[in-house]
């Protein structure tokens, strides 16, 4: 079993190489990604980038209301996937698949073998195991109404390390904006509000400690939405231990997403966006978006500063 786990990164690398050769849709979209345009906005201690990537419109603008989901076949179930799409089987529970509409040069979807709803409360341990098994990749979770285009089928995503600004800026964000909620030999818990996003960081080399720290976060957020799957985006990468970032969400789309005329900006934030790379689906949005727009969009979709303060108080009392 251990040797099998050691090979997952290599197998995933080989899958991408093979699929690039044998799957024209993926090959074309990876080639198109080379022409994606990128611009950066520098802020105090961190940055945001906006990528113009029109190929992503199929995924990002997918309808996820109950009627639409019920009417379409699940594209993550093996029976409905393209004939060319191959897999790496992970622990007889998940399938690692190349994402045919990539944001990153190495972009994978990791789908449950079973058609079960998107829910992190029962799958966070799997999420951590996948993150550890793929150390060259950042592993992502998008909750329903938080960037998941298939909320009816449990899945994660992974992409190449180093793509999102937050990965390189984390230490600065932590020192400038971090509030330490708990620092024990086995785990560190930090709350960060950088004025754009509100999130909790868990750092540990012990899976059990991470599971125990995540439980009250999940419980708190779930109670806010009356027992439904809470609005969260999660990033994780592993190097001698896990660094897990849990972003608290308030809304699925900013008001600009549904606005008409000049006020429309077709951006629907998911985990990659929370990590600092927003995907603009239309060239007009890429050209006109400003630093003020980004701050407004992030503040709308993130948990409010007041709500975050209440959550910090709740967690501090539990983690003492």
């Amino acid at each position: 079993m251990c040797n099998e786990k050691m090979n997952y990164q290599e197998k995933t690398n080989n899958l991408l190489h093979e699929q690039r050769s044998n799957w024209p849709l993926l090959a074309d979209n990876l080639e198109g990604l080379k022409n994606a345009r990128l611009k950066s906005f520098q802020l105090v201690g961190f940055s945001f980038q906006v990528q113009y990537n029109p190929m992503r419109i199929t995924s990002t603008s997918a309808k996820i209301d109950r009627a639409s989901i019920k009417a379409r076949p699940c594209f993550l179930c093996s029976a409905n996937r393209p004939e060319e799409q191959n897999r790496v089987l992970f622990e007889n529970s998940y399938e690692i698949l190349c994402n045919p509409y990539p944001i990153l040069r190495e972009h994978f979807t990791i789908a449950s073998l079973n058609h079960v709803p998107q829910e992190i409360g029962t799958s966070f341990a799997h999420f951590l195991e996948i993150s550890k098994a793929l150390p060259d990749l950042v592993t992502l979770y998008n909750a329903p109404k938080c960037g998941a285009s298939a909320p009816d089928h449990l899945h994660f995503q992974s992409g190449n390390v180093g793509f999102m600004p937050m990965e390189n800026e984390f230490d600065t964000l932590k020192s400038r904006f971090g509030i330490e909620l708990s620092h024990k030999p086995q785990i560190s818990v930090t709350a960060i509000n950088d004025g754009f996003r509100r999130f909790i960081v868990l750092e540990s080399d012990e899976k059990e400690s991470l599971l125990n720290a995540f439980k009250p976060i999940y419980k708190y957020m779930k109670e806010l939405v009356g027992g439904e799957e809470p609005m969260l985006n999660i990033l994780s990468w592993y190097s001698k231990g896990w660094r897990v970032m849990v972003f608290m969400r308030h809304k699925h789309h900013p008001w600009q997403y549904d606005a008409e005329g000049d006020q429309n900006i077709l951006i629907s934030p998911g985990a990659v966006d929370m990590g600092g790379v927003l995907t603009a689906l239309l060239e007009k949005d890429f050209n006109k978006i400003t630093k003020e727009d980004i701050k407004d969009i992030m503040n709308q979709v993130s948990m409010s500063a007041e709500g975050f303060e209440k959550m910090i108080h709740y967690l501090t009392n539990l983690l003492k």
Side-chain angles (χ1 to χ4, degrees), residues 35-217:
N35 299 318
R37 294 161 60 190
L38 199 68
K39 64 181 181 181
S40 298
F41 295 88
Q42 195 61 45
L43 301 145
V44 181
F46 61 101
S47 62
F48 271 89
Q49 297 177 345
V50 180
Q51 181 192 73
Y52 171 48
N53 185 4
M55 297 174 299
R56 285 291 297 176
I57 196 164
T58 300
S59 176
T60 307
S61 61
K63 292 183 178 181
I64 59 167
D65 59 279
R66 289 183 181 179
S68 296
I69 290 170
K70 191 173 181 180
R72 58 112 170 110
C74 175
F75 54 84
L76 292 181
C77 286
S78 59
N80 304 319
R81 293 203 296 260
E83 190 175 301
E84 303 95 330
Q85 192 169 30
N86 293 331
R87 68 174 189 175
V88 169
L89 184 63
F90 183 88
E91 299 294 293
N92 293 314
S93 298
Y94 291 83
E95 297 173 287
I96 302 174
L97 309 163
C98 292
N99 191 317
Y101 301 100
I103 297 175
L104 309 96
R105 68 174 187 271
E106 301 170 29
H107 192 169
F108 303 92
T109 300
I110 303 164
S112 172
L113 281 176
N114 300 314
H115 184 79
V116 294
Q118 187 81 329
E119 183 179 311
I120 195 63
T122 55
S123 60
F124 187 60
H126 300 152
F127 177 80
L128 294 176
E129 290 160 8
I130 291 166
S131 177
K132 185 176 182 179
L134 301 174
D136 294 345
L137 305 173
V138 179
T139 301
L140 322 170
Y141 171 78
N142 290 321
K145 300 181 181 179
C146 291
S149 56
D152 54 326
H153 192 126
L154 174 62
H155 67 285
F156 311 117
Q157 296 183 64
S158 286
N160 49 279
V161 165
F163 177 74
M164 290 175 285
M166 179 167 281
E167 298 171 59
N168 298 318
E169 298 168 350
F170 171 75
D171 290 332
T172 301
L173 282 166
K174 186 176 178 180
S175 63
R176 188 180 289 270
F177 303 107
I179 300 172
E180 192 173 86
L181 305 186
S182 177
H183 188 85
K184 300 176 181 177
Q186 64 271 31
I187 191 167
S188 169
V189 182
T190 307
I192 296 178
N193 176 4
D194 62 15
F196 286 63
R197 304 158 291 196
R198 265 65 71 183
F199 57 103
I200 303 290
V201 182
L202 311 176
E203 297 174 273
S204 179
D205 60 2
E206 295 183 5
K207 185 175 77 171
E208 201 60 37
S209 295
L210 290 166
L211 293 174
N212 290 335
F214 180 71
K215 283 177 184 175
I217 297 172

